[in-house]
Amino acid sequence: MKKIILISLLLSSFVWALNIPKTSIYDKRIAYAVYNANDVFQVNAKNGYVSVLEFGIDERIINTATGFAEGWDLTEKDNLLFIKPKAYQTKLVHQDENSMGKSQSSQEFVLDPNPNDWKTNLIVTTNLNAYVFDLKLVTKNSNTTYKLSFSYPKKDYEVAKELSEVQEQESIRTDLNKNTIPRNWDFYMKVNKGSEDISPNFAYDDGVFTYLGFDNTKTFPAVFIYENGKESILNTHIKKDGNYDVLVIQKTAKQILLRSGDKVVGIFNKGYAKNPLRKTRETSNENIQREVNKKGKK
């Protein structure tokens, strides 16, 4: 029996898990909450005081609704919602009996905000999220919620991730397009008949990558490395250099084949490995390879 009671209590506490916002270490009337669409957040208001809810900077309030509209004043401005309890004017109807029979009379009176009657809920929808609140009237100023601000860790993480990806892309783009210093111009090529329009105007390497320049009359071919009698496709990217479009091959090799349909051009690097760099762009190569793989999966 004790176990059953304990389980019931645990389930009950789970169902009614009201989110009590954390208060500032400087003044507990300033509160913070992490947004969760499945949470109900508590707001403590006080008669004669105004409270404000601050949503995300890119949010705009679309609609507000409360279970006791006559007792609460709601004013919205962009991503801010101002809340204030207000007095409620009502009528009290009296039944009178006299010699003339029964009659009714009414008396208007004002009911001031009080903790028992003013407790209700509040629903707020914005262009991005929906919020659910419990509005509670308190009597102590120290317990009042002057301001409740929301944070959005998941959204912040997604924004940071997107920014990181943009920065990485920019870093890759900068690395791919940065000026290079030619270290080897000792290239010659064999152009098959009818293949002149895929032959480069110049070729060089910088000890890491190979660069083939094409003017606007030429067509970019597919690029293959030729080793041990076999052809393998190479990773490439394109950058602009003056009047030339430069096909950057992310490797140096002894023999490179350019193909486009039946057209074939052989590129031979006679200076291969004669003037290597002491340091290669290993980190850049990793980033570039990762970028090529991403494009290949699309």
Side-chain angles (χ1 to χ4, degrees):
M1 179 65 70
K2 289 182 179 180
K3 289 183 179 180
I4 295 175
I5 294 174
L6 178 60
I7 292 173
S8 298
L9 289 173
L10 289 173
L11 290 175
S12 176
S13 64
F14 175 77
V15 171
W16 298 98
L18 183 67
N19 189 314
I20 308 297
K22 294 183 178 179
T23 56
S24 169
I25 60 174
Y26 303 103
D27 192 323
K28 66 179 185 178
R29 292 172 295 186
I30 304 298
Y32 306 91
V34 176
Y35 175 70
N36 184 333
N38 298 313
D39 268 345
V40 177
F41 302 92
Q42 181 170 306
V43 177
N44 295 333
K46 187 177 185 300
N47 189 25
Y49 291 78
V50 63
S51 303
V52 62
L53 306 181
E54 182 181 38
F55 307 112
I57 190 65
D58 53 349
E59 291 191 63
R60 294 296 178 267
I61 297 170
I62 297 175
N63 188 51
T64 60
T66 179
F68 184 22
E70 297 87 350
W72 293 89
D73 182 57
L74 305 176
T75 304
E76 60 193 62
K77 176 64 176 177
D78 297 331
N79 66 321
L80 302 175
L81 179 62
F82 300 90
I83 303 172
K84 184 172 63 174
K86 64 179 181 179
Y88 174 48
Q89 187 172 352
T90 187
K91 291 182 180 180
L92 182 62
V93 178
H94 299 278
Q95 295 283 350
D96 298 322
E97 291 188 14
N98 51 40
S99 58
M100 301 293 293
K102 295 183 179 180
S103 65
Q104 287 186 347
S105 63
S106 62
Q107 178 183 0
E108 290 189 356
F109 69 98
V110 176
L111 185 63
D112 288 326
N114 63 81
N116 291 329
D117 298 324
W118 259 250
K119 186 175 182 180
T120 186
N121 69 327
L122 168 66
I123 310 296
V124 180
T125 56
T126 73
N127 57 321
L128 298 179
N129 297 308
Y131 301 80
V132 182
F133 300 92
D134 262 348
L135 294 182
K136 180 181 178 182
L137 206 64
V138 296
T139 56
K140 292 183 179 180
N141 180 271
S142 58
N143 294 336
T144 305
T145 305
Y146 278 10
K147 181 181 180 182
L148 171 57
S149 300
F150 284 89
S151 61
Y152 308 82
K154 183 178 179 180
K155 181 179 178 182
D156 293 342
Y157 168 77
E158 291 173 350
V159 171
K161 183 180 179 182
E162 182 178 349
L163 178 60
S164 176
E165 290 176 352
V166 170
Q167 290 173 337
E168 182 181 1
Q169 296 295 324
E170 186 61 31
S171 176
I172 292 171
R173 190 177 298 108
T174 299
D175 188 74
L176 294 178
N177 293 323
K178 69 182 180 181
N179 293 329
T180 57
I181 301 174
R183 298 174 63 85
N184 170 39
W185 289 92
D186 196 2
F187 286 78
Y188 73 95
M189 60 184 172
K190 181 179 179 181
V191 182
N192 282 9
K193 185 177 180 179
S195 304
E196 291 78 7
D197 62 338
I198 67 167
S199 62
N201 296 87
F202 61 81
Y204 68 86
D205 72 54
D206 62 0
V208 181
F209 290 169
T210 304
Y211 301 79
L212 306 180
F214 297 82
D215 63 30
N216 58 11
T217 66
K218 303 294 181 70
T219 302
F220 279 124
V223 183
F224 301 85
I225 187 174
Y226 187 77
E227 290 180 323
N228 302 321
K230 295 181 180 180
E231 296 181 17
S232 303
I233 195 165
L234 290 172
N235 291 326
T236 63
H237 64 275
I238 300 169
K239 75 171 187 174
K240 193 73 176 176
D241 186 359
N243 295 325
Y244 294 94
D245 290 320
V246 179
L247 185 64
V248 184
I249 303 167
Q250 297 163 18
K251 186 179 180 63
T252 59
K254 290 182 179 180
Q255 299 180 52
I256 294 173
L257 289 179
L258 309 180
R259 291 187 179 276
S260 178
D262 295 332
K263 302 173 183 179
V264 180
V265 174
I267 305 293
F268 302 90
N269 186 349
K270 297 181 69 176
Y272 176 73
K274 290 183 179 180
N275 193 18
L277 288 175
R278 292 182 181 178
K279 294 183 179 180
T280 61
R281 292 174 293 179
E282 293 178 359
T283 302
S284 299
N285 289 343
E286 290 174 2
N287 288 339
I288 293 166
Q289 184 65 43
R290 184 162 61 253
E291 174 67 7
V292 170
N293 289 339
K294 285 180 182 178
K295 291 181 178 178
K297 290 179 182 179
K298 292 180 180 180

